[in-house]
Amino acid sequence: MRDFSYTRATTIEDARQAALQAGSAILAGGTTLLDLAKCGVNEPDELIDISHIRGLDGISVGESEASIGALAKMSAVADHPLILKVYPAVAQSLSLAASQQLRNMATIGGNLLQRTRCPYFRDPATFSACNKREPGSGCSALGGVTRNHAVLGTSESCIATYPGDLAVALVAFDAVVDLGSRSVPVEEFFLEPGDRPERETVIAPGEVIIGISIPASAAARNSTYLKVRDRQSYEFAAASVAVGLELEADGRIVKDVRIALGGVATKPWRARAVEQALVGKALTEEVILSAARLSMEGAVAHGGNHYKIELAPRVVARALRTLGGLA
Amino acid sequence: MTIIEPRKHGSAADGRVGGRLSRFEGELKITGNATYALEYPVENVAHAVLVQSTIAAGRVVSVDASKALAAPGVLLVLTPEDDLGLMTAADWFGNRPENQPFHPLPKVVRYNGESIVAVIAESREQAGEAAKLIRITYEEAPAVADMDDPKASEGKLLDAMTVEWGDAEKALAASPVRIEAEYRTPREYHVAMEPHGLTAGWDGEQLTVWEPSQWTHGMARNYAEWFGIPLDNVRIVSPFIGGGFGSKGVALPYGAVAVAAAKKLGRPVRLAVTRPQNFTSYGGRAATRQTISLGASKDGVLLAIVHRGASETSVYMDYPEQTGAATPILYKVENFSSQSRVVPVNAVTPGALRGPGKNPSAYGIESAIEELAYKLAMDPLELRLKNYADHDYQSGKPWSTRRLREALTEGAEAFGWARRSHEPRSMRDGKSLIGWGIGCGTFPVIRAPSSAMIRVLKNGRVEVVSGAIDMGQGTYTILAQTAAEALGVSIEQVDVVLGDSRLPGSAIAGGSMLAGSITGAVHKTANAAREEIIGLALNDPNSPFRDTGANTLVVSEGRISVASGDGPSMTLPELLSVLGRDELEVTRNTLPDDAQSASDRMNAWTSMGRVQGPTMGDTSMHSWCAHFVEVRVDEDFGTVRVSRMVSAFDCGRLYNPKMVESQWRGGIIMGIGQALLEEGLVDPRNARTINNNVGDYLVPTNSDIPDIQVISVGVPDYEASALGGKGVGEVGIVGVAPAIANAVFHATGKRVRDLPITLEKLM
Ligand SMILES: Cc1cc2nc3c(=O)[nH]c(=O)nc-3n(C[C@H](O)[C@H](O)[C@H](O)COP(=O)(O)OP(=O)(O)OC[C@H]3O[C@@H](n4cnc5c(N)ncnc54)[C@H](O)[C@@H]3O)c2cc1C
Ligand code: SF4
């Protein structure tokens, strides 16, 4: 039997110190970590349970920004009345994720760091080649079953999709990850695989997510998260989008728009080209359609996932229509 | 042995056959007090974990178990090198090859996920961790990943499954209106909530196995023959089963491994098959493809059906998923031809999954008939009624009962079918395209004998005892109702004891045959018990009824009295006490009188030897249903949601409508999963089903399921069973997938001919 040690951190400093050790892993809600331990993907020698650190689960929504502690539960954030009001897309991205039981367990910090659902990544006993697990070993997904693999941000080393929903909404609204000693915009926090798919974020050994902050904006206030999948509930996105929209005083011209995509890219994907094509224009069906198409600039399909290139722009367009009152 | 005591709900009539009595064991299950096989408290139990192959075909060259053996807690490692001394057991029909050894951990690998090694340790965690240290060296051989693999053959033609009458090819060629299409279904899996596994222990030469079982006696025979011990030495205990759907009918190789390990170690062994391993420990429904050609006159008279089907099987056994099973009996047609093939692939041998054969078969014919309706510009309901089969054209026999017409018309009425507009894409609500579709289903009445025992005890209890099982269908409940009514006691007095191969034998809980079979046996036994009580009361010198001059007595609400109402009246325990008896025990079976020898009985309870198909008598007997479905398809995204469903059933008499409706709805829900979500994804390179877990193999959630209105249009069919019921467990799933596919066509104008209907197929 594999032995590991378990430590309950009482302060963030404790956790940082412990997390410096090679082979250690931070445990929050455990819904990703335990799952990966069972698959044999993640087998830490030392677990540092941060779930008992006090004061890390706060949710506060102020004039200029919202701050959410790393240990806030997904369900608590999803149901928070001010998050629902001021950042509806954020609340929706959480309530449309996983299941109620998981949302009650899982934390915001852990949620950001959830790992890909690539079935080859999750079955090391059968598929030894996976660059993300074992750098340089190859990629079993290439040439395999790829219906849910990414079409954006892929590399020859890895085509795994970033599966989470929350981070997509956060990227849209320029949220920032608080790592204690430094703060990093969520968009930069996540890395494209390039030739080092094992590095998924900029987080360094000994760093712990303390929380996130989301700047207030008119676009965030008028926002939505649209998630498309075959099963009505409890499935990762085939394609999803977080959209926030602010119109000029005339109620027609786009003043500010934020768009990020999920389920189609190797990291939460901000669709700036679409945003740029919309700002300053009146939202018409034609404008929406031609802008939405830009969301797939540079997309590359691998076998079974080609439908995502068609689907994602439609999801973007639908969300824009809904917010723009064209639906 | 578990005794389930009834709790009463509703009116007194609930306690009789046909009453809506709530599930007997429901409270035990929802309070966590029902003990399942892997929870059985057993002293000193060791834990086994399987290691499965990661290649599709080849040979095990060597197994390096040294690290595993050195790992903490490890007691034993079994590999293909270990001769466990087992012999092949008889097949379903009781045929057994002579002197053929059985190796549950084989040297030759035939599919990805075949069990090769077992590690047994003091704890499950230790065994699991040591299992990761096993190194297997293979010599790989070329494999056929699935039936679409270029290396796959066209398949072996199974002559026994060819059905022909008239001249179908000629009639088809001469038909003024024709359609032809190919329909495909993928590999589907049982994914029962309770995974496979067992706890097994030896006491000398006596073997006890706690294992979820759809057939305790059949499984006991498997183990007895594998291990070369008398059948009486094996006891299978299975009071509760967390879902079977066809996957728990026979003992499987991992069971042999666990029992052999228990024998070697001299202590009990528990083996839990992991969720991914469940996908290959027993085969799911085979992938199928079928081509259907229909010929019709311009006014919609069906003139010919030509069906050519194929299904995947393994490379070591032919198991046909009969895509031609429903094709010949749904419609009136004078010219018919059906042929079926099996295509060997490197996969575990497929198995029976709810509605085997009939299910993919109905998907084909019920899709094709709607394609024909559109070609004819005819209402699909009208086309079905126009070609209503007045008798069984395949066997030439009359139906025993067939209320499919009523199912279609009453279902249509309840659904509001008349309000439909015929053209595809003609109904919408914003971005949702709305479509309506019909799918008919059928499942044969399969009959088999069973036996039961009834004990009337001095304490006032009545026990109904049988080796039959309850996996949620309601066996406990309906047997209490049957016995209470026939014996004349109140339902509160009845206890039911099931799920143990030491108890009287019964039919398998499969092929929707158990309810009809075991209620027949209990009814017969309860009647015999009542007769015996009355006989004793009339004739025993100590009985106060002896002098009443009555020639019979009545038993009602647990009291025995003279019919006229005059004279003595007493409870059954009072009678037993005046008779000076502790109990009265009666056992009966429903085997024919000339088949009552010990070997006849053993054969009947442990093989399919006495099972009778739907046309073995003078009539053709089947359950029938018609599903009416409304779907909403997102025009842009291709996502399909079932928004409304009405299903009308002819299953004869319903022994307990509440249980039956739950069976029907359960079948329908699985059908929705089959239509929209379920699909084993096979990696073409190593033939592994890669979505082998319930996070990735999707079954419906609550929010995928609308309200489902179910209607019974059946009448008692006393040819089908003693109490007039026809099978209810499987027919519910049959016809759901085509109803949904038809509704999707109506909504979108796109015909999806390969399940499941995932969003990219509609975008
Ligand atoms: C069946 C299933 C379905 C799911 N469906 C969805 C879905 O549809 N959408 C979606 O978005 N998510 C989904 N999820 C993922 C789920 O949201 C995540 O598992 C969950 O949010 C992780 O949070 P946790 O607190 O349990 O993390 P843990 O498992 O405790 O941790 C996850 C990772 O983050 C690290 N970590 C945790 N907290 C910190 C911290 N503060 N600082 C640094 N490192 C940290 C851990 O070391 C670990 O590597 C699903 C999960 C499952 C199992
Ligand atoms: S796609 Fe990425 S995660 Fe999946 S097998 Fe390839 S390298 Fe591994």
Side-chain angles (χ1 to χ4, degrees):
Chain A
M1 193 159 66
R2 191 185 171 87
D3 289 328
F4 59 86
S5 67
Y6 169 91
T7 328
R8 199 175 265 189
T10 48
T11 65
I12 295 164
E13 206 33 56
D14 277 1
R16 285 204 190 98
Q17 283 304 322
L20 275 170
Q21 298 287 321
S24 69
I26 285 173
L27 176 73
T31 62
T32 285
L33 192 61
L34 265 67
D35 204 20
L36 291 176
K38 286 192 214 162
C39 306
V41 172
N42 204 337
E43 302 189 312
D45 300 317
E46 194 175 340
L47 279 188
I48 308 141
D49 184 355
I50 60 167
S51 66
H52 295 265
I53 299 180
R54 280 170 203 272
L56 266 191
D57 61 353
I59 306 171
S60 72
V61 181
E63 285 291 308
S64 60
E65 64 172 25
S67 303
I68 301 172
L71 289 179
K73 301 288 185 190
M74 286 171 77
S75 53
V77 181
D79 298 339
H80 193 279
L82 286 174
I83 299 286
L84 278 160
K85 189 164 161 212
V86 185
Y87 305 92
V90 172
Q92 290 160 16
S93 75
L94 288 164
S95 56
L96 293 171
S99 66
Q100 186 65 47
Q101 293 90 330
L102 285 161
R103 295 194 292 272
N104 290 340
M105 288 288 293
T107 66
I108 295 301
N111 183 285
L112 295 183
L113 294 174
Q114 65 181 285
R115 312 215 43 205
T116 184
R117 301 294 302 186
C118 170
Y120 301 99
F121 170 75
R122 293 170 59 88
D123 186 359
T126 309
F127 298 97
S128 55
C130 171
N131 290 323
K132 196 182 264 309
R133 249 183 9 233
E134 204 54 59
S137 61
C139 171
S140 293
L142 293 170
V145 179
T146 53
R147 181 173 188 252
N148 285 321
H149 284 80
V151 292
L152 288 169
T154 58
S155 71
E156 281 172 17
S157 302
C158 180
I159 59 167
T161 304
Y162 174 77
D165 293 298
L166 169 67
V168 176
L170 296 180
V171 160
F173 303 112
D174 299 320
V176 173
V177 185
D178 178 3
L179 295 172
S181 54
R182 60 177 177 146
S183 292
V184 186
V186 178
E187 195 181 357
E188 289 162 30
F189 180 74
F190 291 98
L191 300 170
E192 286 183 38
D195 55 8
R196 295 196 57 190
E198 75 283 5
R199 285 186 67 229
E200 296 175 348
T201 68
V202 299
I203 206 164
E207 282 190 309
V208 174
I209 299 179
I210 311 293
I212 52 170
S213 56
I214 324 170
S217 64
R221 200 175 258 271
N222 181 36
S223 67
T224 189
Y225 188 78
L226 180 57
K227 181 173 179 182
V228 173
R229 45 191 165 167
D230 285 301
R231 190 158 75 174
Q232 174 85 352
S233 163
Y234 204 10
E235 188 185 2
F236 292 92
S240 69
V241 66
V243 176
L245 179 69
E246 183 191 3
L247 297 177
E248 297 286 359
D250 65 1
R252 284 180 51 233
I253 304 296
V254 175
K255 182 173 177 191
D256 183 17
V257 64
R258 316 290 185 83
I259 300 173
L261 301 172
V264 293
T266 53
K267 58 176 262 185
W269 198 260
R270 183 81 178 256
R272 290 193 198 277
V274 186
E275 296 174 3
Q276 280 154 18
L278 291 168
V279 171
K281 302 228 175 74
L283 274 188
T284 63
E285 185 62 23
E286 298 75 67
V287 167
I288 287 176
L289 283 179
S290 68
R293 237 169 265 133
L294 299 174
S295 64
M296 286 292 112
E297 266 183 350
V300 183
H302 293 86
N305 63 358
H306 58 88
Y307 73 95
K308 287 181 190 263
I309 297 178
E310 191 59 40
L311 177 62
R314 298 185 188 190
V315 183
V316 172
R318 174 77 59 87
L320 282 168
R321 276 190 215 109
T322 306
L323 287 179
L326 275 75
Chain B
M1 226 196 278
T2 310
I3 297 195
I4 305 281
E5 297 174 14
R7 290 160 309 116
K8 184 136 163 203
H9 296 274
S11 69
D14 285 354
R16 307 176 68 82
V17 175
R20 301 182 69 88
L21 194 71
S22 286
R23 193 181 292 283
F24 257 42
E25 78 288 11
E27 189 175 316
L28 282 179
K29 284 182 175 170
I30 59 173
T31 55
N33 287 311
T35 309
Y36 289 83
L38 292 177
E39 303 170 328
Y40 236 87
V42 175
E43 297 257 308
N44 195 30
V45 67
H47 296 262
V49 166
L50 297 169
V51 181
Q52 294 187 330
S53 68
T54 53
I55 63 161
R59 203 171 56 81
V60 175
V61 176
S62 65
V63 175
D64 178 359
S66 52
K67 286 207 179 101
L69 281 165
V74 172
L75 301 164
L76 177 70
V77 174
L78 294 175
T79 77
E81 289 302 323
D82 295 292
D83 183 1
L84 304 177
L86 310 185
M87 299 307 280
T88 298
D91 67 12
W92 278 69
F93 299 97
N95 305 314
R96 190 175 183 204
E98 300 253 332
N99 295 325
Q100 192 171 303
F102 167 53
H103 300 291
L105 300 170
K107 285 184 186 146
V108 175
V109 179
R110 301 160 302 180
Y111 56 92
N112 200 320
E114 184 157 20
S115 296
I116 304 294
V117 172
V119 179
I120 300 95
E122 294 288 349
S123 76
R124 172 154 175 83
E125 290 73 18
Q126 288 172 328
E129 212 46 48
K132 291 186 192 161
L133 304 174
I134 295 287
R135 290 291 164 264
I136 304 174
T137 310
Y138 301 102
E139 186 180 284
E140 273 195 72
V144 178
D146 58 22
M147 68 199 295
D148 293 327
D149 190 319
K151 296 190 290 298
S153 72
E154 184 201 1
K156 299 181 222 175
L157 187 65
L158 299 176
D159 287 327
M161 283 169 53
T162 297
V163 179
E164 307 266 358
W165 68 83
D167 188 340
E169 298 283 359
K170 200 167 136 200
L172 180 69
S175 295
V177 183
R178 287 188 295 266
I179 64 114
E180 179 182 313
E182 186 189 71
Y183 304 95
R184 305 171 64 97
T185 64
R187 287 184 201 168
E188 294 152 6
Y189 294 89
H190 302 82
V191 286
M193 194 121 75
E194 176 198 31
H196 286 263
L198 68 157
T199 305
W202 291 86
D203 182 1
E205 285 293 293
Q206 303 284 323
L207 170 65
T208 304
V209 179
W210 292 268
E211 181 168 6
S213 174
Q214 294 180 230
W215 195 23
T216 57
H217 286 253
M219 260 196 195
R221 179 169 175 184
N222 298 148
Y223 284 105
E225 292 180 350
W226 282 340
F227 287 87
I229 54 176
L231 182 55
D232 286 346
N233 287 15
V234 182
R235 179 173 176 205
I236 306 286
V237 186
S238 177
F240 304 106
I241 299 120
F245 312 119
S247 68
K248 292 169 181 166
V250 290
L252 296 166
Y254 62 79
V257 172
V259 172
K263 195 170 182 181
K264 276 193 190 285
L265 291 171
R267 60 190 273 198
V269 167
R270 177 164 296 165
L271 186 151
V273 180
T274 67
R275 182 59 74 178
Q277 290 172 346
N278 265 264
F279 282 73
T280 53
S281 291
Y282 183 70
R285 195 194 307 283
T288 72
R289 61 167 180 250
Q290 55 183 313
T291 304
I292 296 183
S293 311
L294 302 181
S297 68
K298 288 207 168 92
D299 59 350
V301 175
L302 200 53
L303 300 174
I305 299 177
V306 177
H307 163 269
R308 298 288 177 263
S311 61
E312 286 182 352
T313 190
S314 68
V315 294
Y316 55 96
M317 201 176 144
D318 289 347
Y319 178 96
E321 179 70 25
Q322 305 179 34
T323 60
T327 330
I329 60 166
L330 277 174
Y331 297 102
K332 168 180 179 167
V333 68
E334 302 288 352
N335 301 285
F336 184 90
S337 167
S338 168
Q339 291 178 2
S340 295
R341 293 172 184 273
V342 283
V343 181
V345 302
N346 289 94
V348 60
T349 306
L353 204 178
R354 212 169 191 170
K358 270 63 65 181
N359 174 325
S361 180
Y363 171 59
I365 183 68
E366 286 296 283
S367 295
I369 205 81
E370 290 230 0
E371 299 214 39
L372 181 64
Y374 276 91
K375 187 112 186 206
L376 292 161
M378 203 169 161
D379 183 307
L381 175 63
E382 192 191 330
L383 180 65
R384 286 183 170 90
L385 291 171
K386 180 156 197 160
N387 294 286
Y388 194 77
D390 53 327
H391 68 273
D392 177 354
Y393 282 73
Q394 181 178 3
S395 67
K397 294 180 182 178
W399 307 114
S400 60
T401 49
R402 190 191 203 237
R403 310 251 312 159
L404 181 57
R405 188 192 302 279
E406 288 76 5
L408 281 164
T409 51
E410 291 180 32
E413 176 70 30
F415 186 79
W417 184 260
R419 296 196 309 274
R420 169 180 180 271
S421 71
H422 182 72
E423 283 311 304
R425 298 183 78 90
S426 60
M427 306 196 322
R428 70 156 67 218
D429 171 13
K431 287 280 181 189
S432 288
L433 302 170
I434 297 174
W436 292 0
I438 301 177
C440 292
T442 178
F443 200 82
V445 172
I446 303 173
R447 289 170 304 165
S450 280
S451 61
M453 175 168 77
I454 288 195
R455 276 200 209 110
V456 180
L457 304 177
K458 207 164 65 175
N459 64 7
R461 308 299 302 169
V462 172
E463 280 180 8
V464 181
V465 181
S466 168
I469 65 93
D470 190 331
M471 54 180 163
Q473 337 86 294
T475 315
Y476 283 113
T477 318
I478 60 172
L479 292 190
Q481 292 171 281
T482 304
E485 179 178 300
L487 199 56
V489 300
S490 113
I491 190 94
E492 276 96 356
Q493 288 175 260
V494 183
D495 301 327
V496 183
V497 186
L498 298 177
D500 189 326
S501 64
R502 286 276 165 89
L503 306 179
S506 86
I508 187 173
S512 298
M513 74 179 95
L514 181 61
S517 169
I518 189 68
T519 51
V522 167
H523 189 251
K524 182 174 180 179
T525 311
N527 278 333
R530 197 191 61 233
E531 290 306 316
E532 194 163 325
I533 290 165
I534 292 172
L536 287 168
L538 289 175
N539 299 318
D540 192 286
N542 293 326
S543 167
F545 293 98
R546 199 176 134 104
D547 304 325
T548 57
N551 49 17
T552 190
L553 299 168
V554 290
V555 185
S556 172
E557 285 298 302
R559 297 187 75 83
I560 182 162
S561 336
V562 181
S564 65
D566 304 331
S569 166
M570 57 179 64
T571 64
L572 296 183
E574 284 163 358
L575 178 68
L576 286 176
S577 121
V578 295
L579 299 179
R581 296 176 67 121
D582 282 343
E583 64 170 64
L584 183 133
E585 183 180 299
V586 177
T587 304
R588 290 287 184 279
N589 67 49
T590 50
L591 277 166
D593 290 342
D594 62 359
Q596 291 286 351
S597 72
S599 82
D600 284 333
R601 274 182 275 133
M602 127 84 175
N603 178 46
W605 317 141
T606 65
S607 82
M608 295 289 136
R610 288 268 160 195
V611 169
Q612 292 192 301
T615 54
M616 279 174 79
D618 296 335
T619 59
S620 178
M621 303 185 287
H622 310 261
S623 289
W624 305 97
C625 67
H627 303 286
F628 293 79
V629 174
E630 176 183 278
V631 297
R632 299 170 83 92
V633 183
D634 189 291
E635 184 176 26
D636 294 336
F637 307 153
T639 43
V640 182
R641 305 288 180 245
V642 177
S643 48
R644 207 155 64 82
M645 242 186 120
V646 174
S647 300
F649 289 86
D650 166 13
C651 293
R653 182 182 181 206
L654 311 184
Y655 308 139
N656 178 329
K658 194 171 189 173
M659 299 292 117
V660 170
E661 288 161 12
S662 119
Q663 283 283 297
W664 287 341
R665 289 203 178 91
I668 290 167
I669 291 165
M670 282 176 97
I672 292 174
Q674 175 186 32
L676 300 177
L677 298 167
E678 296 186 38
E679 173 177 28
L681 298 168
V682 182
D683 191 304
R685 299 163 302 181
N686 66 359
R688 187 171 179 86
T689 298
I690 59 157
N691 55 340
N692 55 2
N693 62 79
V694 276
D696 295 322
Y697 182 87
L698 301 183
V699 297
T701 63
N702 273 329
S703 45
D704 295 286
I705 305 302
D707 269 348
I708 300 168
Q709 185 185 349
V710 290
I711 300 171
S712 173
V713 298
V715 292
D717 184 337
Y718 293 104
E719 285 182 64
S721 63
L723 300 190
K726 304 193 277 189
V728 303
E730 299 180 81
V731 68
I733 193 175
V734 183
V736 175
I740 292 173
N742 292 336
V744 165
F745 174 77
H746 184 226
T748 64
K750 278 191 196 154
R751 172 63 61 184
V752 179
R753 300 190 181 89
D754 57 328
L755 297 181
I757 307 173
T758 46
L759 55 89
E760 69 266 41
K761 295 177 185 171
L762 292 173
M763 277 176 46

